Amino acid sequence: MMQPLTMRSWLATLVTALLAVAIWPDPGQSLPQGAPETVCDTMLPFHSGGSVLPQNSVSPFSVETSSSTLGQGQTLRVDLTGVPAGLSFGGYMIQARNRNPPHQIIGQFGPARDGTIKLMNCENSVNNSATHSNAGNKQQVILEWQSPVDFLGEVVFNATIAQSYNEFWVGVPSQPVQIVRRDLSAAPPLPTLSPSAPAGTTRAPYVPPSYVAPNNVVAVSTDPIYNGCGQSKNCFGFPDGCVATKSCTSITVVTVRGDVFEFEIQSGKGTNAAYVAVGLSDDAKMGDDLTTECVPENGRVNLYSSLTSASPYSAVRSNVNQNSARLLDASIVDGVIYCRVQRDAVTNVQGRTFDLRNGKYHLLVASGSSLKENSVGYHDIGRLPSAQPINLAEVQDLSGSSKLLIQLHGAFMIAAWIGTTSLGIIFARYFKQTWVGSQSCGKDQWFAWHRLLMVTTWSLTVAAYVLIWVELKRAVWHAHSIIGLITVILCFIQPIGALFRPGPNDKKRPYFNWGHWLGGNLAHILGIVTIFFSVKLPKAELPEWMDWILVSFVVVHVLVHLIFSIGLCLNHWQIGGMASERHLSQRANTFQMGDMSHHQQHAMRNGMSMERKMDAPYAGMRKGLLGVYGVVLFLFVAVLILLVVLAPIEQFLGKS
């Protein structure tokens, strides 16, 4: 319910009117230095020549906060904006009041870096109200407010906003903000002018006439950074499509007014971001991009500009004139990093020109949880470039670029070098004396499976290499690409060499066997090493713990080889023993062979031939181990491919 006006409030209003002390003293112009402290209680503007009543209609302006819950001593962002976006106003005055009686003024406002906010000391407290410092038209005002350290409860921001001489709204409310017990891990509070100044007062003030009673307050509004997206400003964030749902992990907003290019950059809540950044890229690929970085340091958000490099990945600040961008506003509230930056229309960096007026650029949004010395760390929280380059002044709906070719490249290489190659080598090395007498397509089983798996490896590798060239359209040299190229060359040569394989009894056959064995195993080892190096690639966006999955695969693969090798040694020992016994038996019975008939000798030779056509010992164990290894190998390949296709997996897990 609205509080009735006290006699004291009526007297204050009357005195204010008679003295003609007002927020906007002359028609069409707001008071240049903002509202005087004599109107702290009423927040009512009066104009020279008589009193002008406030508007009774719904205010076209809104007061929005960056959070609905705040710890004691923490700060949040408060926005004054028009609805719809772009509606301008001249003067304003704002306070935060206890939602419950006696409705005292609560907390403190922080100063603006550009001096566009004038702080007021109402009710003998420091900086607990704010007003404009210039009378120019403005479409948005962003303030920082600090809650008191000794207050628990709800506060509501009330503002007086004037659009023109006779059009102003008094007591425009925000949604309530709940002040809770202080989180000791929160960001440091804003400095105060006087450490001994109280955060509020218990004196009952005048409650503005349009103050919204608790039962009439509607649900908490969405983050104001999304207001006007696709209508008056370009908005882009990740994961792709998050702007429509207003749920971005990181977002950038670009507003263009003539030659003024403003970027708003914000991280998501609960991401534990150490920085948030936006890059301007010619090709949507990391490297040679002009980036704008917002980095919390020592309790404040600092602005840096960098030029990125792809190989190795880095963001170098020393190459860019740091005065090419200016920090207009910044805050960190509940771990959410926010900054508003104005960039020069033209920036020259190492012979490159970034012309925001005439050029078209991909927006590249990134955030990470770590920092390097004089640089930002890897964007492990996420990164996404826009699908198309745009002129920043052209407002449109943006979507993220497709990662399909990169995902297919990674999936094909994992299937080839973790899956089919590993299994193909096992068949060739340990199964020549298994399934003896059984054939497929006129070839022994081991050879038929070995050839099928290796042809699959060759096909997947060639296809993956073509896909990555189509995606990159240029050579990028680093450990992954160099070792990968060697692997592809060896893979390509192997089947060609097999076409010229000498006959079984050819004296050159041993040289071929050793060369084929060496080429295949070397390609397999290098292929796995190449996959290890892919984990660190920015474009792959793979989690660092994927290394442990690859290590686990290597351990399992080596262990299986060891077991098969022990079984092979046992086979040779047992077969050697049987051959020795047969040799002694033949020597002892030579005279008997001489006495045998031709029919008896032929039957004995057939028996020996049948023995050679039987599986080597422990065939059942080999087949069982092969089945177990096949299942485990399939699980490794499936998990690794899912990490590639769903990258960054952290975003996918967060959405689910």
Side-chain angles (χ1 to χ4, degrees):
M1 294 294 293
M2 187 172 63
Q3 296 284 328
L5 300 183
T6 65
M7 180 61 69
R8 184 177 178 277
S9 299
W10 280 116
L11 290 175
T13 302
L14 180 60
V15 170
T16 304
L18 292 175
L19 295 177
V21 178
I23 300 177
W24 299 275
D26 59 288
Q29 181 67 31
S30 301
L31 189 66
Q33 299 303 318
E37 293 177 359
T38 53
V39 296
C40 285
D41 283 347
T42 65
M43 298 184 70
L44 289 171
F46 293 90
H47 302 274
S48 58
S51 173
V52 179
L53 296 177
Q55 298 293 309
N56 292 324
S57 60
V58 176
S59 170
F61 303 99
S62 65
V63 181
E64 299 180 348
T65 59
S66 59
S67 176
S68 60
T69 304
L70 193 68
Q72 292 173 315
Q74 292 183 339
T75 60
L76 58 69
R77 194 175 82 243
V78 183
D79 290 29
L80 306 182
T81 56
V83 181
L87 192 64
S88 62
F89 56 95
Y92 68 90
M93 179 180 173
I94 185 170
Q95 299 171 340
R97 289 182 177 266
N98 187 348
R99 193 180 182 195
N100 298 315
H103 304 296
Q104 72 270 25
I105 304 176
I106 293 293
Q108 295 178 325
F109 287 92
R113 297 178 184 274
D114 55 4
T116 56
I117 298 173
K118 176 185 175 182
L119 301 180
M120 303 170 63
N121 303 329
C122 292
E123 299 179 347
N124 299 318
S125 295
V126 177
N127 299 342
N128 60 3
S129 302
T131 185
H132 60 279
S133 63
N134 65 77
N137 285 337
K138 48 190 72 69
Q139 295 181 351
Q140 184 181 36
V141 172
I142 300 176
L143 308 98
E144 278 190 349
W145 179 81
Q146 176 195 345
S147 64
V149 296
D150 57 354
F151 175 83
L152 291 174
E154 286 188 315
V155 299
V156 173
F157 290 87
N158 287 277
T160 295
I161 304 176
Q163 186 176 19
S164 64
Y165 167 70
N166 59 354
E167 288 184 295
F168 56 88
W169 289 261
V170 177
V172 179
S174 71
Q175 302 298 331
V177 176
Q178 182 74 40
I179 308 300
V180 298
R181 294 193 181 279
R182 182 175 182 178
D183 179 3
L184 297 180
S185 64
L190 293 172
T192 60
L193 295 179
S194 173
S196 61
T201 178
T202 58
R203 179 165 62 92
Y206 168 78
V207 180
S210 59
Y211 178 78
V212 179
N215 292 336
N216 295 332
V217 178
V218 296
V220 177
S221 61
T222 56
D223 193 324
I225 198 169
Y226 296 99
N227 293 344
C229 285
Q231 299 174 353
S232 59
K233 56 189 181 182
N234 281 311
C235 302
F236 180 65
F238 67 80
D240 194 19
C242 67
V243 174
T245 59
K246 301 181 180 180
S247 59
C248 293
T249 302
S250 291
I251 183 175
T252 186
V253 173
V254 184
T255 304
V256 180
R257 295 185 296 274
D259 279 348
V260 177
F261 293 84
E262 283 190 4
F263 293 79
E264 292 178 84
I265 318 171
Q266 181 174 288
S267 66
K269 192 171 183 178
T271 59
N272 296 319
Y275 72 89
V276 61
V278 60
L280 298 175
S281 174
D282 290 327
D283 55 6
K285 298 174 176 60
M286 189 68 72
D288 297 327
D289 309 319
L290 178 63
T291 64
T292 303
E293 305 159 359
C294 297
V295 184
E297 294 173 322
N298 301 320
R300 57 183 291 179
V301 179
N302 291 324
L303 169 68
Y304 298 101
S305 297
S306 299
L307 187 69
T308 64
S309 172
S311 53
Y313 170 74
S314 61
V316 184
R317 295 170 182 169
S318 59
N319 295 334
V320 185
N321 180 6
Q322 296 301 312
N323 293 325
S324 61
R326 291 157 296 284
L327 186 62
L328 303 180
D329 196 8
S331 66
I332 177 167
V333 180
D334 292 339
V336 176
I337 306 169
Y338 169 84
C339 66
R340 183 163 59 95
V341 179
Q342 181 178 330
R343 291 210 66 92
D344 288 346
V346 178
T347 303
N348 294 307
V349 184
Q350 293 189 326
R352 295 200 53 182
T353 300
F354 291 88
D355 185 352
L356 307 190
R357 283 187 298 248
N358 304 309
K360 290 188 175 183
Y361 299 97
H362 294 266
L363 292 177
L364 201 160
V365 183
S367 61
S369 59
S370 63
L371 299 174
K372 299 179 181 178
E373 185 177 358
N374 298 321
S375 177
V376 297
Y378 176 64
H379 44 74
D380 55 338
I381 295 176
R383 163 192 170 274
L384 184 67
S386 60
Q388 301 295 332
I390 65 165
N391 183 289
L392 299 181
E394 297 177 2
V395 178
Q396 55 194 281
D397 293 326
L398 300 176
S399 61
S401 62
S402 172
K403 297 186 292 184
L404 178 61
L405 297 184
I406 295 175
Q407 292 168 340
L408 288 176
H409 168 81
F412 285 0
M413 287 301 193
I414 288 173
W417 296 102
I418 300 293
T420 56
T421 302
S422 301
L423 203 56
I425 290 176
I426 293 290
F427 270 104
R429 187 167 184 178
Y430 303 109
F431 283 85
K432 291 180 180 178
Q433 293 299 316
T434 309
W435 294 298
V436 174
S438 175
Q439 292 187 335
S440 293
C441 301
K443 300 292 182 181
D444 290 343
Q445 289 288 356
W446 75 267
F447 183 80
W449 281 104
H450 172 75
R451 182 173 60 181
L452 174 64
L453 291 166
M454 289 311 184
V455 168
T456 304
T457 294
W458 188 90
S459 302
L460 289 172
T461 300
V462 172
Y465 198 67
V466 171
L467 288 173
I468 203 62
W469 268 102
V470 172
E471 169 67 19
L472 298 179
K473 299 181 177 65
R474 60 176 179 175
V476 178
W477 300 114
H478 41 62
H480 175 79
S481 61
I482 294 172
I483 300 175
L485 178 60
I486 297 172
T487 303
V488 171
I489 292 173
L490 290 173
C491 175
F492 197 81
I493 291 175
Q494 281 291 96
I496 296 176
L499 294 176
F500 300 96
R501 178 176 63 250
N505 298 321
D506 194 298
K507 63 180 181 179
K508 296 180 181 179
R509 181 60 179 260
Y511 298 106
F512 166 82
N513 289 342
W514 278 106
H516 191 69
W517 173 88
L518 180 63
N521 282 278
L522 183 60
H524 189 213
I525 293 171
L526 292 178
I528 295 173
V529 171
T530 304
I531 295 173
F532 268 100
F533 277 110
S534 71
V535 176
K536 291 293 184 182
L537 293 178
K539 192 176 287 294
E541 299 182 300
L542 297 172
E544 292 187 1
W545 46 267
M546 179 173 166
D547 281 337
W548 293 108
I549 298 179
L550 292 171
V551 169
S552 300
F553 158 74
V554 172
V555 170
V556 170
H557 185 69
V558 171
L559 185 62
V560 168
H561 267 282
L562 182 62
I563 296 173
F564 273 127
S565 296
I566 292 173
L568 193 62
C569 290
L570 291 175
N571 287 344
H572 290 161
W573 176 78
Q574 186 167 349
I575 292 173
M578 292 172 61
S580 178
E581 290 179 3
R582 187 183 305 113
H583 179 67
L584 291 174
S585 176
Q586 287 175 350
R587 291 183 60 186
N589 297 294
T590 301
F591 70 95
Q592 296 179 2
M593 289 288 294
D595 296 337
M596 288 183 183
S597 66
H598 176 76
H599 177 75
Q600 289 174 321
Q601 293 182 23
H602 179 72
M604 186 171 184
R605 291 192 188 97
N606 284 343
M608 295 172 62
S609 176
M610 289 296 294
E611 182 180 319
R612 286 195 298 270
K613 290 183 179 180
M614 294 172 60
D615 284 359
Y618 308 109
M621 182 201 74
R622 288 195 301 276
K623 294 175 184 177
L625 183 58
L626 177 67
V628 173
Y629 178 68
V631 172
V632 174
L633 189 65
F634 173 81
L635 293 176
F636 271 116
V637 171
V639 169
L640 292 170
I641 288 178
L642 283 175
L643 290 178
V644 170
V645 173
L646 301 178
I649 193 67
E650 293 85 356
Q651 289 183 23
F652 177 81
L653 295 177
K655 288 190 293 184
S656 59

